[in-house]
Amino acid sequence: MSWLDTSIMARKGVAKGRAGDRHTITIADQGKFHYVYGPYVQPVLEVDPGAVVTVETHDAFEGKITSESDKPSEILNFPFLNPQTGPIHVRGAEKGDALAVRIISITPRGAQPVGTTCLIPEFGGLVGTGNTAMLNAPLPEKVKKIVVDEGGVHWSDTLTLPYEPFIGTIGTSPEIEAISSLQPDYYGGNMDLPDVGPGAIIYLPVNTPGGYLYLGDCHAIQGDGELCGVALEIPATVELQIDLIKGHGNSWPQLETKEMMMFIGSARPLEDASRIAYRELVRWLAAETGQSEADAYMLLTMCGKVRLGNMVDPKYSVGASILKRYVK
Amino acid sequence: MSWLDTSIMARKGVAKGRAGDRHTITIADQGKFHYVYGPYVQPVLEVDPGAVVTVETHDAFEGKITSESDKPSEILNFPFLNPQTGPIHVRGAEKGDALAVRIISITPRGAQPVGTTCLIPEFGGLVGTGNTAMLNAPLPEKVKKIVVDEGGVHWSDTLTLPYEPFIGTIGTSPEIEAISSLQPDYYGGNMDLPDVGPGAIIYLPVNTPGGYLYLGDCHAIQGDGELCGVALEIPATVELQIDLIKGHGNSWPQLETKEMMMFIGSARPLEDASRIAYRELVRWLAAETGQSEADAYMLLTMCGKVRLGNMVDPKYSVGASILKRYVK
Amino acid sequence: MSWLDTSIMARKGVAKGRAGDRHTITIADQGKFHYVYGPYVQPVLEVDPGAVVTVETHDAFEGKITSESDKPSEILNFPFLNPQTGPIHVRGAEKGDALAVRIISITPRGAQPVGTTCLIPEFGGLVGTGNTAMLNAPLPEKVKKIVVDEGGVHWSDTLTLPYEPFIGTIGTSPEIEAISSLQPDYYGGNMDLPDVGPGAIIYLPVNTPGGYLYLGDCHAIQGDGELCGVALEIPATVELQIDLIKGHGNSWPQLETKEMMMFIGSARPLEDASRIAYRELVRWLAAETGQSEADAYMLLTMCGKVRLGNMVDPKYSVGASILKRYVK
Amino acid sequence: MSWLDTSIMARKGVAKGRAGDRHTITIADQGKFHYVYGPYVQPVLEVDPGAVVTVETHDAFEGKITSESDKPSEILNFPFLNPQTGPIHVRGAEKGDALAVRIISITPRGAQPVGTTCLIPEFGGLVGTGNTAMLNAPLPEKVKKIVVDEGGVHWSDTLTLPYEPFIGTIGTSPEIEAISSLQPDYYGGNMDLPDVGPGAIIYLPVNTPGGYLYLGDCHAIQGDGELCGVALEIPATVELQIDLIKGHGNSWPQLETKEMMMFIGSARPLEDASRIAYRELVRWLAAETGQSEADAYMLLTMCGKVRLGNMVDPKYSVGASILKRYVK
């Protein structure tokens, strides 16, 4: 028996966590990509709970950075960044529900070198930016193109890093807002949290009929914080299983793996992102175990874990989690 | 000669700061109000630069809080808050331009008591909120209805405050985003800055064809920071003169009065809002006077002024300004 | 009758706000200057409540920057910065009391040009710093020496700014800590708040027997935020009247002028400094008028004022105030 | 061969990482405990580099919370909190050096239940505090006393957590400041970082002759962030090996284990703590490998790890690290 059989998806999903129809969205199927998470577009696909969907995603630069001599500042055209595949309409999804999205696999797509990272002027965690506005001169631009294959991430002649892929940007549509795919928030979006990878199930709040699932921005590997602003960006083929949890009622994204349960908060400053994530976790833990919020707060003081997603996006993202074996 | 003749609006406006056609938008004209700043709706009015427009606005609660025994948490229905009149399409406005909006007058509208303020659970500057997430119990809800007339704001039997009205929320549409009217940002929005009142001209960046001017949320008076989260909210009749500055190129709202020039930044934490506002001002001052950025930075160290708009919205707003007599 | 007769100092001071013995501390009297606010030194002077003390202060650079060709990075020797005169022991002062310090006058001292400002690498509000750690290159260093006389601050051939002096750093000793004079905190210190000038009375919490008043770092003029990190620094002669308020019990500095009552908070991020200042003011207003904290909170939402002291020191300082005429 | 033989301590230490004389500091030896990190006291012990010292520490409450019915607010007497053993003078240590402190073991001390945690009014990560000043009522106080033995941390009848001890507060003296042992900063102090446990070597900047090593505040276990403000506090016996790295020149604490190299930053807001830690790591990595800062920045974007120490102390602490196998 797999841990999946005890997941929230299996226990509470409309499809009971069972795989249903298979669908595919290729780059051609998608046609026009999206740069906002919002309800003002037509879905590219409509599915029933249980659907298994294979999705082709662009990299965060829409494939436009092709050489190490490219200048990101000349190529990238704000706000047309971080192109998203979708939205996928999930039948029956209503405000107050959650989409359960199990990530089955993430495979790099296209000709080598498929990985791109770069330094973009006034963007990143250790430089002045549009918000943390400074008078210092920006760092010089720089592009690295990296081969990513079954052997890993070939960073340099002497260093190969592991292939640890995840989805940088995934979420549902807000109810009436349409928000840049560069931003993470209560509906998911650009969280850049390495836990959102194969083996995990993410539960995304539904705010609008059909939920409207968007995704993109896959990363071959990323450190905590996505320090320079962009990870190792890859075009990818992503396989997902989508279920629907009626009335799940989570206010922020929730993520489950075999070992742990996590909530993800996004805000500035970073302590607010952490507070959001931890408060959600306190409340979930109290409800799940029947202990008081005060007791759950004290227990998480002993064994809560924090994972920094990004400290570079318009909001910063943090996951707070507890090992399932401590949930009792 | 009025100072207006030397304003940016007069010097650079398409209509040269001269009043043009008169228009009116009543509550009935508007019909459906808007809760996001975005391009995904039809304009309620289209005007030429120079237009003088009389606009009826709802209060931030859309008039639904009518008694001191009302419970805001039962009446207010997020995200349908802070209803906005507009958008107004300004002919000829293109990305990179600025709308110049001169505020001529703000008059309370409707039956007394026209002013409303309240304590809303998990909202405000001195309480835990959805972002600054706390486990403390919220403060009790509370509503105050206040008579506002020519004599001032009748706060209590013993205290009358002055009538110092301004527009809490005003701005243009983002290019592809549609953002809650509760939020301030680079296009304006819910800045809650008391300087945005009669006598001032605000220059709002244009991001989308026609600019799409929205406004609402008038305040009869407000202290710095809009501390409890809502000012003295009033339905109002606002008279505006709208001009267009081609290629003005400001990245954030700029505000001019007879005495001073200001830039307005919105971000969290509050120092980032201040940094944005001050960096814009440094750059403007350097360009205007021909001094270096370093010299402008040092001069503003001596005589820059900071006004806190709000410290309660999804982003906080700060105006940084310099007296015109020091601009040389 | 002067407003002083109705001040807290006059109503509650041990000396009832009356001037007592006169004392002087010259540079020579002081001998060794101090770079921390702490209890681990002997007082330079011991006085009774009511004492009027004339104090000579160094500028924040201890007079070492004498020419516009000086390099601050070569001259300044951290942590031996911002030299303080004092401490002054006030007889009878005990933990829980407050020192009342009325600022009578501030006069520039020494040969012209007496004013100094500069750009110091990795210091200031619009540059990366030791805390807001960036990889960007620092701005070039720069020194300006400015003539300050009765005619004002002679900034350039074309611009004279007003002489608006205040004490940048003033406070009492912590109980067991000794904290850099670069930092502001609950005991005062490097607040850099322009309101701390002639005509004001500041009430500083006493934490240690005798209170141990320190001061220094006078400024000829400063904008809100002390943007580049140093104001127009001057050596000065300061005249003070010192009284003692037994059991005053303020947790943070309180400041009174003819027109207003203010509390000063220091913290990072800036919203926390504002929260501290405003919470103190809410509680004071509620106690003073007999209204509930909720009512005081709502009233300050209408008419509270915020003044930014610095956004460059190890903690940022904010004053929140209310006009006395609204205190009823 | 142990990894220790390749550690910085072994390669650069005055004692070359070899164990020297043995010393002991018992509670009785210490006599008077310290509540500040500062130079204004006599050392309790003077040692040569290489010394192995067995130190008895109090818990953070100095053992005063003995029962679950105790009220922390009545027992704890600010600023006399978090009592520290020391200082230990290390012969030859001068400003610009680093103390290398290898943590050999941490053993609980005293009668069961030796572990204490509690909720203290206005203290913690999910409540309003003295800095994040709120008007909400504080949470009720609460004390938990927990048995900690070889079998682990006996949290409840159904839940035993692992014994994962570390030193919550350890550091050197500032040069002229004396700072509360509740605060972490560039010299170490109350970092509450779980990595500071057996098996690790921490390199602490020396600011004053002899370095003046203080420590205390051992924790039996703690989650990331020390969420409620106090971990599972235990009195302990700590065994340390102390070496001296001449001219090491680190500005912030550095920590080494068999697998990784970390730098620790402390600041508010949390992003500044992260920036400090990551900038130190960028610069170390560039120097260690000969790559540019830009390349080191990009590599850490791929594989840097962030550990949250506390988000509750006067400054928040974050460790940024890289696996040694990626340092090439």
Side-chain angles (χ1 to χ4, degrees), chain C residues 35-36 40 79-80 122 129-135 175-180 268 272 275-276 279 293 297, chain D residues 35-36 40 79-80 122 130-135 175-180 268 272 275-276 279 293 297:
Chain C
Y35 309 95
V36 294
Y40 301 108
F80 303 100
E122 301 238 310
T129 66
N131 277 312
T132 305
M134 301 292 176
L135 296 176
E175 185 169 6
I176 59 172
E177 290 189 288
I179 297 180
S180 167
R268 288 193 183 193
D272 273 2
R275 285 169 178 146
I276 290 168
R279 183 167 77 168
E293 281 195 8
Y297 182 38
Chain D
Y35 309 95
V36 293
Y40 302 107
F80 303 99
E122 301 237 310
N131 277 313
T132 305
M134 300 292 176
L135 296 175
E175 185 168 6
I176 59 172
E177 290 188 289
I179 297 180
S180 167
R268 287 191 183 194
D272 273 3
R275 285 169 177 146
I276 291 167
R279 183 167 76 168
E293 281 195 7
Y297 182 38

Side-chain angles (χ1 to χ4, degrees), chain D residues 235-251:
Chain D
T237 303
V238 179
E239 194 177 9
L240 305 169
Q241 179 182 338
I242 303 171
D243 210 328
L244 174 65
I245 320 290
K246 295 300 293 179
H248 191 55
N250 55 321
S251 301

